[in-house]
């Protein structure tokens, strides 16, 4: 297979209710599109959720890191490319490029996925699946952004808290991966979004949370426009961590 | 122009992060798609926001009523048809049909729009615009659901309140029309969504709210699975009203 055939390309438009007050696509919506592209690309190659579910397996997102020079503006066309960078026994790295209306690459993303058994909730051996054919899709396309980092939050003072409600919950009964992004973006005052934009956004998904869980958000400012965020449920257990790096416009 | 040429048809798929814990598309996402279709259809006919903005006019959504036999399930294709039912001096009625993967009409929606001047914020005369050509698009397609009703809420006890945050705000600096729907859906416990589904959902948009505004939600149960909701900002001014009718599954 040529390297080009290993890359999936999907087209989008920045819809009016998907942009923020500056007219730029929100990070939550971009995250949603990235995860959809991962699904399309995997499905087209026989590794989609529907096929996996038949064998009682599913994909679980572990890490996501997005880095951008700019976000698409309202009504602008853009596209997302995705490909598999690595496959290990328990994890696979999937990368993305975000391409603007003029065909220019305006950002990249990295994601790390595991496959789990729906029966045991234990990780599956990716190299054993479909006779190891997943490695045929590994592609050496360039993704010039750093890998997801380790995030450590020290603040003991909650920045915010909420109870997970109807709109937060996905078909698996979990708070959905995109809602965490939206709740984290809402920790920052609008003034910050007026004078700066998010250059890099990272998520580390650690544990699931459920309807009614109290989610508490802890936030450290670590200098240079960088914030580390930790979300805990019901007082202690870590649900996810995030790093948000703002730069002046 | 034949009646068929007056109807716009747009295709969608029920994405995984757009369905709720039952696997069905959420009312907020359907509302977003409806409003996008309104935008596509108007733009294709020279009445889109972009064209209007050049002349310092814009569309303002006043009412929305959606009634459904069922919602598309995760990964299902569906389509939305839209057409103009009436044009008056200050308002226009735009209707919708929601069509499932098998081509069956599973629901309808009605919307009422005004056009305002961005300079004066006053309503514009729709019949004067483009030499009155908007009436050429009026179509007598059937929309067998009731018009939006008058909603009256008597409860003095808030069901919930929140402050409008970054993710709530659209490019005009207002809380966006879809976020109100999501916040209203979150007033109901998940148990209600387990045993029943929303058969009809109405919104009446009354006034704008802004970043930082305290939104307070009042809710009356009026019997037969029907709830009336009123959203007020900063203690008194009504922002919008909603009627939500649940039926057993």
């Amino acid at each position: 297979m040529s390297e080009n055939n290993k890359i999936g390309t999907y087209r989008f438009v920045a819809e009016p209710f998907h942009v923020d007050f500056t007219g730029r696509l929100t990070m939550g919506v971009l995250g949603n599109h990235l995860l959809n592209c991962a699904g399309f690309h995997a499905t087209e190659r026989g590794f989609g959720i529907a096929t996996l579910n038949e064998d009682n397996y599913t994909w679980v997102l572990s890490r996501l890191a997005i880095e951008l020079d700019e976000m698409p503006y309202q009504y602008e066309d853009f596209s997302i490319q995705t490909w598999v960078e690595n496959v290990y026994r328990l994890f696979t790295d999937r990368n993305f490029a975000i391409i603007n209306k003029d065909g220019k690459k305006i950002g990249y993303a990295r994601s790390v996925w595991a496959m789990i058994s729906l029966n045991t909730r234990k990780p599956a051996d990716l190299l054993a699946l479909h006779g190891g054919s997943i490695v045929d899709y590994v592609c050496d396309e360039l993704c010039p952004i750093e890998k997801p980092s380790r995030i450590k939050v020290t603040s003991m003072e909650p920045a915010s808290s909420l109870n997970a409600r109807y709109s937060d919950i996905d078909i698996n009964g979990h708070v959905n991966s995109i809602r965490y992004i939206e709740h984290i973006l809402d920790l920052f005052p609008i003034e910050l979004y007026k004078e700066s934009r998010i250059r890099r956004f990272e998520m580390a998904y650690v544990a699931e949370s459920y309807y009614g869980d109290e989610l508490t958000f802890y936030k450290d400012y670590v200098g240079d426009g960088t914030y580390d965020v930790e979300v805990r449920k019901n007082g202690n257990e870590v649900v996810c961590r995030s790093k948000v790096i703002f730069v002046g416009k």
Side-chain angles (χ1 to χ4, degrees), chain A:
Chain A
M1 201 177 325
S2 80
E3 294 301 284
N4 257 347
N5 285 342
K6 297 179 182 173
I7 301 176
T9 304
Y10 308 94
R11 295 182 56 113
F12 299 91
V13 61
E15 301 177 10
F17 295 101
H18 288 172
V19 301
D20 70 7
F21 75 97
T22 71
R24 300 282 169 180
L25 198 73
T26 70
M27 193 58 81
V29 170
L30 179 61
N32 181 35
H33 290 329
L34 294 175
L35 302 191
N36 281 336
C37 290
F40 301 147
H41 188 259
T43 298
E44 287 158 14
R45 283 151 188 82
F47 292 94
I49 291 274
T51 312
L52 290 179
N53 283 359
E54 286 171 18
D55 299 327
N56 283 306
Y57 289 100
T58 196
W59 286 113
V60 175
L61 177 62
S62 168
R63 300 295 199 94
L64 183 65
I66 304 170
E67 200 167 316
L68 294 144
D69 295 328
E70 63 177 74
M71 271 288 199
Y73 194 77
Q74 179 174 256
Y75 296 122
E76 280 182 2
D77 292 315
F78 64 100
S79 59
I80 294 174
Q81 292 186 334
T82 183
W83 63 93
V84 177
E85 183 187 38
N86 293 302
V87 182
Y88 307 102
R89 203 167 64 85
L90 298 181
F91 289 99
T92 176
D93 298 330
R94 171 182 287 287
N95 297 341
F96 305 86
I98 297 101
I99 297 160
N100 78 0
K101 61 183 195 313
D102 304 318
K104 183 183 157 205
K105 286 184 180 158
I106 52 173
Y108 292 90
R110 292 179 170 275
S111 63
V112 180
W113 301 76
M115 190 178 291
I116 62 162
S117 157
L118 289 167
N119 300 328
T120 64
R121 310 300 293 178
K122 290 214 165 71
D125 182 346
L126 292 173
L127 299 173
L129 194 86
H130 293 202
S133 65
I134 194 172
V135 299
D136 297 344
Y137 301 109
V138 170
C139 173
D140 66 0
E141 179 77 4
L142 198 71
C143 186
I145 66 167
E146 279 182 34
K147 298 208 167 187
S149 60
R150 267 187 77 84
I151 303 164
K152 201 165 180 315
V153 173
T154 58
S155 171
M156 308 288 277
E157 196 64 47
S160 159
S161 80
L162 58 87
N163 287 86
R165 290 185 293 179
Y166 166 74
S167 297
D168 292 309
I169 308 300
D170 68 15
I171 193 172
N172 302 305
H174 307 141
V175 171
N176 91 48
S177 312
I178 300 305
R179 291 295 270 195
Y180 290 119
I181 299 178
E182 293 179 3
H183 291 314
I184 288 166
L185 297 177
D186 280 338
L187 295 175
F188 302 98
I190 207 158
E191 290 69 25
L192 190 57
Y193 292 102
K194 280 181 184 157
E195 65 206 26
S196 52
R197 65 173 187 88
I198 298 174
R199 183 177 67 78
R200 183 174 167 97
F201 185 87
E202 288 185 34
M203 285 293 293
Y205 295 99
V206 179
E208 302 291 359
S209 66
Y210 305 88
Y211 179 77
D213 278 354
E214 189 193 31
L215 301 180
T216 311
F217 297 76
Y218 297 84
K219 184 176 71 172
D220 284 349
Y221 181 62
V222 295
D224 272 345
T226 302
Y227 295 83
D228 289 339
V229 175
E230 186 166 270
V231 184
R232 289 183 218 157
K233 70 175 177 187
N234 306 325
N236 44 32
E237 195 186 349
V238 174
V239 172
C240 59
R241 297 189 184 93
S242 176
K243 184 184 285 288
V244 191
I245 306 180
F246 288 87
V247 285
K249 279 183 184 166

